[in-house]
Amino acid sequence: LIVLRGLRKMGLSVDESAEEAYLMHWHYIGQLLGIKPDLLVTSIKEAVALDKAIAERQFRASESGQELTKSLMNCYAEMTGSQLAPQFFQAQAHLLLGEQYAQMLAIPTPNIPLSVLQAFNVTTSFLSNMYA
């Protein structure tokens, strides 16, 4: 569900049959991995309910989560060698996670406007599909 939701947030469309197929794919992988059957979903409705239950029970601000996120941002910046990379990471995180979870992880508010980020996401996705 998180991947499908992220695609929509990035301005990409996925038809309902592809969404259901994606969920079923992970349903079968979950079976192979031995995940309890009551935790495996077969529909978007079930996925949304499970996502909500997990979020209510598990998602909390924590120092270790914030440190891990900060370390990931620093690693990303070092790997790219770009001054813009941390800002892009922060903007993507705010877009994909939402403000509530971005704040829980202490991700700084980006200087990149949402409209610029969305245009970048759609453009880079379009270019990747052209050359795929």
Side-chain angles (χ1 to χ4, degrees), residues 6-13 118 121-122:
L7 290 172
R8 280 189 232 108
K9 286 181 177 183
M10 291 175 65
L12 303 168
S13 62
Q118 288 173 326
N121 286 337
V122 170

Side-chain angles (χ1 to χ4, degrees), residues 10-127:
M10 291 175 65
L12 303 168
S13 62
V14 180
D15 66 35
E16 192 173 320
S17 63
E19 288 180 343
E20 296 293 332
Y22 180 81
L23 287 177
M24 287 308 297
H25 177 81
W26 281 104
H27 176 89
Y28 293 124
I29 290 172
Q31 286 179 333
L32 293 172
L33 291 172
I35 295 174
K36 293 180 183 179
D38 59 328
L39 295 176
L40 299 174
V41 299
T42 58
S43 71
I44 295 295
K45 184 177 179 179
E46 290 176 3
V48 169
L50 181 60
D51 177 68
K52 183 178 178 184
I54 291 170
E56 287 175 1
R57 181 170 182 217
Q58 300 296 123
F59 292 2
R60 306 278 184 273
S62 71
E63 188 176 324
S64 57
Q66 292 170 356
E67 286 297 318
L68 183 61
T69 303
K70 184 178 178 181
S71 177
L72 178 61
M73 284 189 290
N74 291 339
C75 180
Y76 186 64
E78 287 176 24
M79 286 173 45
T80 61
S82 166
Q83 296 291 343
L84 187 57
Q87 289 290 317
F88 179 75
F89 179 96
Q90 292 164 7
Q92 282 288 49
H94 278 263
L95 173 68
L96 297 173
L97 295 171
E99 291 304 315
Q100 177 185 3
Y101 298 131
Q103 288 177 8
M104 280 184 193
L105 294 168
I107 298 171
T109 302
N111 293 327
I112 299 173
L114 181 59
S115 58
V116 172
L117 178 63
Q118 288 173 326
F120 179 81
N121 286 337
V122 170
T123 303
T124 56
S125 172
F126 171 75
L127 292 174

